[in-house]
Amino acid sequence: MKHEGLPSTPISFYASAKEALANTQLRRNMGKATQTIRAKRASVVSEMPDWEALREAGRAIKERTLRHLDDYLLQLETAVQAAGGHVHWARDAREANQIVTRIVQGHGAREVVKVKSLTTDEIGLNAALAAVGITATETDLAELIIQLAGESSSHILVPAIHKNRAEIRELFMRTLGVSDLSDEPKALAAVARAHLRRKFLSAPVAISGANFAVAETGTVCIVESEGNGRMCLTLPPVLISIMGIEKVIPTWQDFEVFLQLLPRSSTGERMNPYTSLWTGVAPGDGPQEFHLVLLDNGRSGVLADTIGRQTLNCIRCSACLNICPVYERTGGHAYQSVYPGPIGAILTPQLVGVDVAGSLPYASSLCGACYEVCPVKINIPEVLVHMRARVVRKKQAGLLSRLDPENVGMQALGRMFESPLLYEQAQRLARLGQWPLVRGDAISFLPPPLGGWTAMRDLFPVADQTFREWWAARNKT
Amino acid sequence: MQIALFITCFNDTIFPQTGRAMVQLLERLGHRVEFPTAQTCCGQIHFNTGYQREAIPLVRHFVATFARYQVIVAPSASCVGMVREFYARVAEVSGDRRLAADVAALVPRVFELSEFLVHKLGVEDVGAYYPHRVTYHPTCHSLRVLHLGDAPLRLLRKVRGIDLVELPNAEQCCGFGGTFAVKNADTSMAMLGDKLRCVLDTRAEVCAAADNSCLMHIGGALHRQRAGVRAIHLAEILAATE
């Protein structure tokens, strides 16, 4: 399965999940990987006596920042410019891609290296660059793997989480021209390292995402594990960083909170191996030209919604993916968006609309595990239900879509529950009507749309004596 | 104490034995039980599926039915979770301030059975006898919406004759999720398959929980597979005596 950035045509989670669930190797890879990372996270989080207070601080900082987002973004712009950087504002993916392409072409570059590519995946930057003959090389190991495989990411942080090392060995042998390669992680990393080192030294332009940008000084930050980020951020003479407008934080003091929350929530580490921070340009040190692209691409719309806006608290740690029982089984591709898992199920439909991504808010059992681990306390179940309400309102606004069996059924059910009399009649009717379906003490077959239930589960029928009938009989005697 | 039963619609209709067990248990503990017969559904099905406007009259109906009772107890963490966590939101959607005020007044008086026994009454030993091997599945809404903690387990540990065994990976969702079980039936089944394996690994003969909704899902599959394990609501175990 392959998706490009954000979906633009209607997607069906049901259909793509069905396909993914049938892949037993995927199930095994996902189960193993998510269980491992969950255990690591739980262990490092349990070391922190003030974890709940940190989460609350993270949430509060984000909420305050979003409330004054315009001020902080302008402050960031001024600070970046004062430090010798250039700031660009992009309303949408097309504008952002044009800005980046223009800069790269302005330097006559045919090749760029990339790190932290999530936001650039959102806008489809690689395809836009390729269209004008510029080759982008992903340098995060997992991003490189999926780029070589011609696939798309299935996880925010570990884009190749769906692949095991035997599959990666086979891929490297096929695409990087190496033979006699073992599937030891060290050997695989060494091959990628040799391949990437040549790119780091030759590419004239680097393109990065950003984890945070501190408004008071104009400092941009990237946290990473492999050192490829440090290479991208220091070797090429030109650096372009693209960040969603919600990534700004006001001060360095706020930064302290997030640097404790992020690594523990994402990779399950106390501290990530590389934390790179840069402020504009410094003569003789690192890139001599720095561009910061501030991307909206639907975020202002999210901000306008009082319940939905907490989605913008997200620091892309992926703890919600790793804990999600749905994601663990379907993998990321089933969500058909660069943002999979629980956060994707609320972010994607807010960015592209429920006409396109209306099936995603239903891709959850509302178990609440995501909310519990979220380091910035995004109440994902609350937003899921909020988005479902948006789907239903849309459905009810259409003349034909109003006749959708679910809507008709829910209306009837609602009217029945409003009246105790109708409800009791319905109980009796169901008891009478169910007899062709009841075999022994259970129902093993139901017609569509309820057939999904009986595909694997029996259903217990309406009782011979409901509780209220028992109660009435008991009080009579 | 005078206790009003909020029996919930599917317990009333499909699992009346759970309601009868509640009555037996609470009366044995010396309380007077009432069943307001006007009650129907709390509106969770509608609210969780996105039919928020349709949930408004059901919330009104619930408030009208239970307004005059001081203590309301239900054998469902999920339905109590709906009332406690989301009724205020429905009232907000309705734009009716009166309803919002009524909801705010009523919500603190609605309890799930195990939290009522352990936290409100301070009872752990309810005098039950249940000589079976039992594993307990903490449902998502009892864990992460109501935060019942170990209240159900504290009750079960005091049951005489019980062989209580720990469920591996207990805190993971069974895959029910209301309409999720039908709308995304395949994913729901994949989750359920793993839950069943954990249940069967315990070699328990009974899988217990504080929600018959999840048990309908787990028990429905155990029944289909003729697994030799039954799903039983916590209330029925607590009501059982020698």
Side-chain angles (χ1 to χ4, degrees), chain B residues 228-242:
Chain B
V229 183
R230 62 189 182 280
I232 284 184
H233 193 282
L234 179 68
E236 292 167 55
I237 295 176
L238 299 179
T241 49
E242 265 179 269

Side-chain angles (χ1 to χ4, degrees), chain A residues 307 328-329 362 365 367 388 396 406 410-411 417 423 427 441 444 449 454 457-458 463 467-468 474, chain B residues 12-13 27 37 39-40 46 48-49 51 53-54 144 172 181 183-184 188 194 217 220 223-224:
Chain A
I307 292 178
E328 179 184 341
R329 286 164 185 90
Y362 291 94
S365 64
C367 85
R388 291 177 183 188
Q396 293 174 339
E406 181 191 284
M410 283 292 189
Q411 301 300 328
F417 283 137
Y423 165 67
Q427 283 181 326
D441 56 352
S444 298
T454 46
R457 296 152 286 211
D458 286 341
F467 178 80
R468 62 182 56 232
R474 176 186 194 246
Chain B
D12 177 18
T13 310
E27 287 183 345
T37 54
Q39 63 182 279
T40 59
H46 286 89
N48 279 357
T49 313
Y51 293 81
R53 270 191 314 222
E54 288 75 3
R144 290 179 281 263
Q172 198 172 57
K183 284 172 98 79
N184 278 299
S188 169
D194 290 340
H217 173 70
H223 190 272
R224 168 70 59 88

Side-chain angles (χ1 to χ4, degrees), chain A residues 63-274:
Chain A
E63 191 191 284
R64 175 165 49 90
T65 310
L66 290 170
R67 222 168 28 222
H68 308 287
L69 190 58
D70 46 351
D71 294 337
Y72 290 123
L73 286 170
L74 291 172
Q75 192 188 0
L76 175 69
E77 178 184 44
T78 308
V80 169
Q81 287 167 342
H86 306 273
V87 175
H88 310 263
W89 299 79
R91 258 174 300 218
D92 54 23
R94 203 175 53 87
E95 271 190 15
N97 287 333
Q98 279 171 353
I99 292 165
V100 175
T101 309
R102 224 174 28 237
I103 299 168
V104 176
Q105 283 179 323
H107 289 275
R110 316 291 298 166
E111 218 182 340
V112 298
V113 283
K114 290 180 66 202
V115 61
K116 283 273 158 182
S117 294
L118 191 65
T119 308
T120 66
D121 283 350
E122 174 189 323
I123 58 176
L125 178 65
N126 288 7
L129 290 174
V132 293
I134 299 164
T135 309
T137 301
E138 297 294 345
T139 69
D140 288 314
L141 181 54
E143 289 276 5
L144 175 69
I145 290 166
I146 57 165
Q147 187 178 36
L148 291 173
E151 292 181 15
S152 49
S153 163
S154 69
H155 190 281
I156 289 174
L157 195 79
V158 209
I161 193 171
H162 56 290
K163 289 197 174 303
N164 66 22
R165 58 192 192 176
E167 292 167 306
I168 294 164
R169 168 181 177 268
E170 189 274 327
L171 172 72
F172 279 2
M173 288 177 65
R174 185 160 49 81
T175 55
L176 295 182
V178 284
S179 52
D180 194 26
L181 179 61
S182 90
D183 67 358
E184 283 305 311
K186 210 172 163 179
L188 295 173
V191 168
R193 189 171 189 266
H195 171 73
L196 290 173
R197 187 58 55 104
R198 287 189 290 274
K199 305 281 181 189
F200 289 133
L201 292 170
S202 63
V205 178
I207 299 174
S208 85
N211 286 101
F212 305 98
V214 184
E216 62 178 349
T217 55
T219 305
V220 185
C221 168
I222 274 187
V223 297
E224 44 129 1
S225 302
E226 298 164 19
N228 62 307
R230 185 65 57 81
M231 294 280 195
C232 284
L233 302 168
T234 54
L235 286 176
V238 179
L239 172 62
I240 308 168
S241 301
I242 303 166
M243 61 173 251
I245 50 174
E246 81 282 18
K247 289 283 179 289
V248 66
I249 55 173
T251 67
W252 280 80
Q253 196 162 11
D254 303 321
F255 194 43
E256 176 240 346
V257 172
F258 295 110
L259 269 196
Q260 293 183 74
L261 288 169
L262 181 55
R264 285 174 203 263
S265 300
S266 56
T267 47
E269 291 168 306
R270 296 186 184 99
M271 182 91 211
N272 47 284
Y274 294 86

